[in-house]
Amino acid sequence: MRYGQNEDVSAPNYDKEVSHNHIPRLTSGQEVSGELSAASPERLSVASPDVGAGKRIHSLPYVADANQSPNIRVVDPVREFGSSGLNNVAWKERVDGWKMKQDKNVAPMSTAQATSERGGGDIDASTDVLVDDSLLNDEARQPLSRKVSVSSSRINPYRLVIVLRLIILSIFLHYRITNPVPNAYALWLISVICEIWFAMSWILDQFPKWFPVNRETYLDRLAIRYDREGEPSQLAAVDIFVSTVDPLKEPPLVTANTVLSILAVDYPVDKVSCYVSDDGAAMLTFEALSETSEFARKWVPFCKKYNIEPRAPEWYFALKIDYLKDKVHPSFVKDRRAMKREYEEFKVRINGLVAKAQKIPEEGWIMQDGTPWPGNNTRDHPGMIQVFLGQSGGLDAEGNELPRLVYVSREKRPGFQHHKKAGAMNALVRVSAVLTNGPFLLNLDCDHYINNSKALREGMCFLMDPNLGKHVCYVQFPQRFDGIDRNDRYANRNTVFFDINLRGLDGIQGPVYVGTGCVFNRTALYGYEPPHKPKHKKSGFLSSLCGGSRKKARSSKKGSDKKSSKHVDPTVPIFSLEDIEEGVEGAGFDDEKSLLMSQMSLEKRFGQSAVFVASTLMENGGVPQSATPETLLKEAIHVISCGYEDKTDWGSEIGWIYGSVTEDILTGFKMHARGWRSIYCMPKRPAFKGSAPINLSDRLNQVLRWALGSVEILFSRHCPIWYGYGGRLKWLERFAYVNTTIYPITAIPLLMYCTLPAVCLLTNKFIIPQISNVASIWFISLFLSIFATGILEMRWSGVGIDEWWRNEQFWVIGGVSAHLFAVFQGLLKVLAGIDTNFTVTSKASDEDGDFAELYMFKWTTLLIPPTTLLIINLVGVVAGISYAINSGYQSWGPLFGKLFFAFWVIVHLYPFLKGLMGRQNRTPTIVVVWSILLASIFSLLWVRIDPFTTRVTGPDVEQCGINC
């Protein structure tokens, strides 16, 4: 590394032997080896310009190999661009490339370069790949995955009960509306409004589960087709993103375990690149990543030699199982002990870095060479990129290559909107496109490690399928968690959502994007639309000339007409490769008016970077041979500058979409609205595992953030209630997205409905009039249909009754607390412009014992509504029973209905009560005891003074003759 001002960048010398790349350390003089091969250029140091100043602060260098390194996918620039140059990408040259694809005499392509255009030669009908029959056996011809519907014996009764419940619900609501309660009209009206809202919410939640499916993958077929032993692997390259912000809330050891599991994944090393986004520009993260890269040289070969699972060392060594099972290698025990010792020493070094970083020096962090750390000011610093592993310098202890590991910290300057996590992810998209340009992307939170080393192969079974893959925007894996208490008190596992809701959506248009554990098709992130499925119509000669199933209306218009039509339909993608090809075929590539795009318009969409724009046009990814390290380095720094996205479509049509703290829902919705479909992959061994907050207050704050994001989408132009009707979003999929955005609103009727039992008990009124025998049958039928729906849902999904019940309980707890606050915060943001700060969920490990954090009490205002509901319902129960005892036998009948609703509320809030009681903190216990004591005192007064008749009651009334 070289730091200074106005430092000249020398030309690369490909014959010069390069010494080790010395990286300054936070602690001591120990250095990290980053040596390159003799064919590599000298290290370069380039920084983003310092806004408002006349000097340049040199950031951490990106080191790249100029030759065809196994870590950089290489494509033929003549095929991709029509020219070997990169600096002046002409649109006409790109058209020539597309014309070449139409040539019937095109050379046979490898399976990794499958195309949907059918040229000459023998084409396998099931794969759309131009290959020789002798190269494929029957197994290789088979599809890479299979959709398995739920058996009719399980799903048909479930659907029947849903229909019956809908009918019974309609009759129930009709009865409730037509039978008001005169002496409690206000209570009756509130209850009916709440019940109608609950019915609508249930419909939106229930019917997207109508077509649940399961999926099977065939990894052996994937290997036969793309990864034959003894031949170069044809598997697609994958760029993996890990995002982190605050190393004190997201411990570096947690991030290190995630990175180590990525580097040890069962996938060709030259196809894997790991990008770590440090959005806090913390030197602690940088130093921890440096230590991680050194430990990876020993950990990765150990994992691959003995095929261990999981490949995150913290969780592997914490497994309480027989680790010798299925291990036959005689040196395994010895190597495991040595590796465990190495990991413990690695943990001590990381802990030392964390301890030293607790107190920041007044002058800021200084690196070993005396240069100030560029990220000392987290809100004003240049962009930084550092490659820790990759090329010949990234070798493990046995001399084998390691995947690429890149540290990225985007530029931040005052006065710019950085868009939090979504902005950081878009910066990684651009950096990875410039440096490696893998056609697929996997994004992980820093606490979500790869639990199944074959997870990438599972995803490729869908994305690399020649028929299915071209229509898939992403493959979503379920989230699984470690460190949760056995009873899962606060429904942290979200089993109902991941095992029921998302499987139901997979049978429609695919699951929603949940923010992590998702493999993306890079093309879909760029705003392209999927290929149109051919319409099976009888087409004449004229139709065949116009392209058959291609879109005729849009391809026949002029460019200006299409630009104006874009504003009519917001779901029409900003551009389409298919449309471009149609324009070329229709009028010839020499007619400039027939071209939909130009390099200028592409740069307007993607930003002012010719290298990045060129990468977006590579359908199979890769970096051209003619790309030089200097160009890649400068462009990588340029595309993460804080002003790069100005006046572009980033965040509105391209990449992660801005406008909500839950950018994941918004991003997936835009893709589905364009016509893409997603896949839900549930391998037997969970693909990824992460951590979840088990403390009540932390859990409620997490739910608050999710609900706030949904409210933001609800009041935005992207609301699924009115957005995207001109696109290709299926109706049941729209139902699911509408439910995803309006569910926080349910907090208002839920809060009122949970208050009604206490009010009824205290006022001796009820929301339901005296019912007849026929009406009671419908009431009983409604409750039976609710139970039957839950039982049959658990039957086809495999979800346990305890998990289902915990989900129901926390739906009430979160609804009357976090969802309620989210609604008001969202309204404040929309109406008054008052924004709320994004709070990173703490991912600290449990160091004080088993689930010590579970019993820790942390006061937050979110606890006020459920605490109030709990107290008033307890008071109401005691008061109601006391009044019934005092009034005689005839008052017990109406009391049971009121007590039923009150106990329904109390039972659902029971986990919340246990959270208040705690185990190590006595304060909540005192609060609850005093609440019960006050309720008892109030009830005793209630026995003596009857507010309903305003008359003194008791045995001495007649003797005293006192009439109130």
Side-chain angles (χ1 to χ4, degrees):
M1 295 174 54
R2 294 201 301 267
Y3 292 83
Q5 296 183 4
N6 302 324
E7 188 172 339
D8 295 332
V9 179
S10 59
N13 185 354
Y14 296 97
D15 299 323
K16 182 179 179 180
E17 185 68 23
V18 181
S19 61
H20 291 190
N21 180 22
H22 299 294
I23 302 175
R25 306 303 308 283
L26 176 64
T27 53
S28 63
Q30 184 181 0
E31 295 162 351
V32 177
S33 174
E35 64 270 19
L36 305 177
S37 65
S40 302
E42 287 191 283
R43 297 173 300 281
L44 302 173
S45 180
V46 177
S48 55
D50 194 358
V51 177
K55 62 180 180 179
R56 297 176 60 86
I57 301 178
H58 288 266
S59 68
L60 304 176
Y62 168 77
V63 184
D65 193 340
N67 291 342
Q68 292 187 19
S69 169
N71 295 81
I72 299 180
R73 298 187 66 251
V74 180
V75 298
D76 185 3
V78 177
R79 160 171 278 174
E80 292 295 337
F81 300 106
S83 171
S84 60
L86 255 182
N87 295 330
N88 296 312
V89 183
W91 185 246
K92 185 176 180 180
E93 295 172 349
R94 178 58 182 160
V95 172
D96 291 337
W98 281 318
K99 295 295 289 183
M100 290 174 61
K101 291 171 58 180
Q102 310 295 330
D103 193 350
K104 294 184 179 181
N105 297 324
V106 65
M109 300 172 64
S110 67
T111 53
Q113 295 172 315
T115 176
S116 60
E117 299 294 330
R118 293 176 177 263
D122 190 8
I123 304 176
D124 180 69
S126 64
T127 61
D128 271 354
V129 181
L130 298 171
V131 292
D132 195 303
D133 278 342
S134 61
L135 299 180
L136 290 175
N137 53 29
D138 292 337
E139 186 71 14
R141 292 176 180 271
Q142 300 301 316
L144 303 179
S145 63
R146 183 169 71 100
K147 182 168 68 174
V148 182
S149 301
V150 178
S151 63
S152 57
S153 62
R154 293 177 178 269
I155 196 62
N156 287 341
Y158 175 67
R159 292 170 177 166
L160 178 62
V161 169
I162 291 176
V163 175
L164 291 176
R165 180 175 172 180
L166 185 61
I167 296 173
I168 295 172
L169 186 60
S170 302
I171 298 174
F172 169 78
L173 291 177
H174 178 267
Y175 172 81
R176 293 283 286 122
I177 294 172
T178 56
N179 290 271
V181 182
N183 65 337
Y185 191 83
L187 297 179
W188 166 83
L189 183 61
I190 292 174
S191 65
V192 169
I193 294 174
C194 293
E195 288 163 1
I196 292 175
W197 179 269
F198 295 152
M200 294 174 56
S201 179
W202 172 76
I203 291 173
L204 291 175
D205 179 69
Q206 192 67 64
F207 280 91
K209 306 175 188 176
W210 193 264
F211 302 104
V213 297
N214 300 311
R215 293 188 184 272
E216 294 180 355
T217 56
Y218 303 103
L219 299 181
D220 51 345
R221 298 176 184 174
L222 180 75
I224 292 175
R225 183 173 296 177
Y226 296 115
D227 196 24
R228 293 191 185 95
E229 188 175 357
E231 299 180 10
S233 176
Q234 299 295 328
L235 290 171
V238 182
D239 294 336
I240 305 177
F241 300 162
V242 179
S243 57
T244 182
V245 180
D246 187 349
L248 299 181
K249 290 187 177 181
E250 299 168 325
L253 188 62
V254 174
T255 305
N257 273 270
T258 299
V259 171
L260 290 169
S261 69
I262 293 172
L263 298 178
V265 71
D266 183 8
Y267 207 75
V269 294
D270 58 317
K271 308 288 185 177
V272 177
S273 299
C274 177
Y275 293 84
V276 180
S277 170
D278 177 18
D279 219 31
M283 192 171 183
L284 173 58
T285 303
F286 177 81
E287 291 290 329
L289 210 58
S290 177
E291 289 283 358
T292 303
S293 65
E294 284 300 296
F295 178 72
R297 302 176 192 272
K298 304 172 184 177
W299 172 252
V300 172
F302 171 76
C303 293
K304 295 186 175 181
K305 180 178 180 180
Y306 298 110
N307 195 27
I308 67 169
E309 297 283 1
R311 298 189 177 181
E314 182 70 22
W315 298 105
Y316 170 69
F317 291 120
L319 289 177
K320 298 178 181 179
I321 60 174
D322 182 12
Y323 62 85
L324 296 177
K325 185 179 180 181
D326 301 329
K327 296 295 185 294
V328 297
H329 205 287
S331 62
F332 172 70
V333 174
K334 180 181 178 181
D335 290 349
R336 186 182 185 276
R337 289 174 180 171
M339 184 53 59
K340 187 174 183 179
R341 180 181 178 87
E342 290 282 352
Y343 178 64
E344 290 172 349
E345 293 176 354
F346 167 72
K347 287 179 66 175
V348 170
R349 293 194 297 271
I350 295 295
N351 292 337
L353 293 174
V354 174
K356 190 167 185 178
Q358 296 295 324
K359 186 177 180 180
I360 303 176
E362 294 183 1
E363 65 277 9
W365 296 113
I366 304 296
M367 292 190 289
Q368 185 183 357
D369 62 351
T371 307
W373 169 248
N376 277 327
N377 187 345
T378 58
R379 297 184 178 181
D380 187 3
H381 64 84
M384 296 178 282
I385 298 176
Q386 171 66 45
V387 175
F388 287 103
L389 296 174
Q391 272 55 327
S392 59
L395 302 179
D396 61 27
E398 298 181 359
N400 300 316
E401 291 190 15
L402 291 170
R404 183 186 297 270
L405 176 60
V406 184
Y407 169 90
V408 179
S409 182
R410 59 179 173 147
E411 181 189 25
K412 287 190 176 182
R413 302 294 181 189
F416 287 87
Q417 178 60 261
H418 301 293
H419 302 291
K420 302 174 182 177
K421 181 181 177 180
M425 297 304 296
N426 284 337
L428 287 184
V429 171
R430 297 191 294 271
V431 169
S432 63
V434 171
L435 301 184
T436 51
N437 199 28
F440 303 113
L441 313 172
L442 165 64
N443 89 286
L444 294 173
D445 288 343
C446 66
D447 63 321
H448 273 70
Y449 64 90
I450 298 181
N451 183 65
N452 183 348
S453 62
K454 297 185 182 298
L456 293 182
R457 295 178 182 267
E458 295 276 356
M460 291 304 110
C461 286
F462 303 102
L463 292 168
M464 294 191 69
D465 187 284
N467 290 320
L468 177 64
K470 66 182 80 170
H471 302 283
V472 176
C473 56
Y474 59 81
V475 176
Q476 179 66 62
F477 292 85
Q479 291 186 22
R480 303 301 187 208
F481 301 99
D482 288 313
I484 297 177
D485 59 301
R486 183 172 57 87
N487 295 323
D488 192 13
R489 179 184 293 181
Y490 306 123
N492 283 280
R493 292 190 177 92
N494 283 330
T495 310
V496 172
F497 175 74
F498 287 113
D499 289 12
I500 297 180
N501 294 59
L502 294 190
R503 286 170 65 185
L505 289 176
D506 197 19
I508 305 172
Q509 198 175 343
V512 298
Y513 168 42
V514 297
T516 184
C518 186
V519 185
F520 282 95
N521 184 339
R522 189 184 285 267
T523 303
L525 278 174
Y526 286 159
Y528 292 101
E529 67 175 352
H532 289 276
K533 295 181 180 179
K535 298 179 182 179
H536 301 286
K537 293 182 180 180
K538 294 182 179 180
S539 57
F541 176 74
L542 181 61
S543 175
S544 63
L545 289 178
C546 296
S549 63
R550 297 179 182 269
K551 294 179 290 183
K552 305 178 184 67
R554 292 173 59 196
S555 62
S556 62
K557 294 181 180 181
K558 299 294 182 181
S560 59
D561 296 333
K562 295 190 177 189
K563 184 177 291 188
S564 63
S565 67
K566 188 185 98 170
H567 300 285
V568 177
D569 183 5
T571 62
V572 173
I574 56 178
F575 40 71
S576 169
L577 289 176
E578 187 172 297
D579 289 342
I580 296 171
E581 292 180 1
E582 290 168 15
V584 173
E585 293 169 356
F589 65 90
D590 289 329
D591 186 359
E592 296 297 332
K593 294 183 179 180
S594 68
L595 300 179
L596 300 180
M597 290 294 161
S598 64
Q599 184 184 4
M600 183 179 299
S601 61
L602 283 173
E603 289 185 351
K604 185 178 180 181
R605 301 291 187 183
F606 291 107
Q608 299 295 320
S609 172
V611 176
F612 175 74
V613 169
S615 72
T616 64
L617 300 176
M618 299 179 186
E619 298 179 57
N620 297 316
V623 177
Q625 285 178 309
S626 57
T628 62
E630 302 96 313
T631 303
L632 295 180
L633 175 58
K634 292 177 182 178
E635 289 299 321
I637 291 293
H638 171 58
V639 298
I640 61 174
S641 60
C642 53
Y644 181 83
E645 295 182 355
D646 291 348
K647 298 180 181 180
T648 67
D649 285 332
W650 282 101
S652 60
E653 300 292 340
I654 302 172
W656 270 256
I657 307 301
Y658 304 149
S660 171
V661 295
T662 53
E663 71 288 331
D664 45 4
I665 298 296
L666 204 52
T667 301
F669 174 62
K670 293 279 286 188
M671 293 182 185
H672 283 135
R674 292 190 182 107
W676 292 93
R677 75 149 296 129
S678 55
I679 298 293
Y680 196 49
C681 181
M682 298 180 64
K684 292 182 179 179
R685 179 178 180 85
F688 311 101
K689 279 190 175 183
S691 60
I694 61 176
N695 179 266
L696 175 60
S697 299
D698 292 340
R699 171 70 165 141
L700 290 178
N701 277 291
Q702 182 188 55
V703 174
L704 170 64
R705 187 173 70 250
W706 295 343
L708 178 60
S710 295
V711 174
E712 290 174 343
I713 297 174
L714 178 64
F715 294 118
S716 71
R717 73 180 185 92
H718 291 116
C719 178
I721 298 177
W722 52 72
Y723 180 85
Y725 282 95
R728 290 182 282 171
L729 186 68
K730 296 184 178 180
W731 277 101
L732 287 180
E733 192 79 10
R734 183 180 296 277
F735 274 22
Y737 275 109
V738 171
N739 184 56
T740 302
T741 55
I742 71 168
Y743 78 90
I745 306 296
T746 307
I748 298 175
L750 182 62
L751 180 66
M752 293 189 294
Y753 209 73
C754 290
T755 308
L756 286 176
V759 177
C760 291
L761 286 167
L762 294 174
T763 60
N764 199 27
K765 297 178 181 179
F766 201 36
I767 58 177
I768 300 175
Q770 188 173 359
I771 60 177
S772 62
N773 293 334
V774 176
S776 62
I777 293 176
W778 291 116
F779 273 77
I780 296 174
S781 300
L782 178 62
F783 286 108
L784 290 178
S785 67
I786 293 174
F787 290 128
T789 304
I791 292 172
L792 293 175
E793 198 169 72
M794 290 183 284
R795 183 169 177 260
W796 68 255
S797 66
V799 174
I801 188 172
D802 54 339
E803 296 170 317
W804 183 85
W805 175 240
R806 291 299 185 198
N807 182 79
E808 291 294 312
Q809 287 180 312
F810 198 78
W811 175 74
V812 176
I813 296 173
V816 299
S817 57
H819 297 174
L820 184 67
F821 277 73
V823 172
F824 291 119
Q825 288 185 12
L827 289 174
L828 285 175
K829 183 176 181 180
V830 173
L831 300 178
I834 301 176
D835 201 356
T836 54
N837 292 327
F838 173 78
T839 303
V840 178
T841 304
S842 177
K843 299 172 177 64
S845 58
D846 187 10
E847 299 175 353
D848 299 327
D850 292 337
F851 312 118
E853 188 182 357
L854 176 66
Y855 307 102
M856 187 181 303
F857 180 77
K858 301 177 182 179
W859 175 253
T860 173
T861 53
L862 296 176
L863 301 177
I864 295 177
T867 304
T868 305
L869 282 177
L870 198 58
I871 292 175
I872 65 173
N873 276 279
L874 286 173
V875 170
V877 169
V878 177
I881 295 176
S882 302
Y883 174 76
I885 293 174
N886 184 66
S887 300
Y889 176 77
Q890 68 278 2
S891 63
W892 283 96
L895 178 64
F896 285 130
K898 305 171 190 175
L899 290 178
F900 174 81
F901 285 107
F903 279 121
W904 180 89
V905 175
I906 294 172
V907 168
H908 278 78
L909 292 176
Y910 177 70
F912 172 78
L913 177 62
K914 292 183 67 177
L916 288 180
M917 296 290 289
R919 185 180 71 176
Q920 298 175 348
N921 194 313
R922 298 296 181 183
T923 304
T925 307
I926 295 174
V927 172
V928 175
V929 170
W930 271 103
S931 301
I932 297 175
L933 181 60
L934 291 174
S936 303
I937 295 173
F938 184 79
S939 302
L940 290 176
L941 295 175
W942 204 269
V943 172
R944 301 306 301 172
I945 301 177
D946 185 356
F948 311 120
T949 59
T950 64
R951 186 180 298 274
V952 174
T953 58
D956 299 330
V957 172
E958 295 181 359
Q959 296 179 4
C960 296
I962 302 175
N963 192 324
C964 292

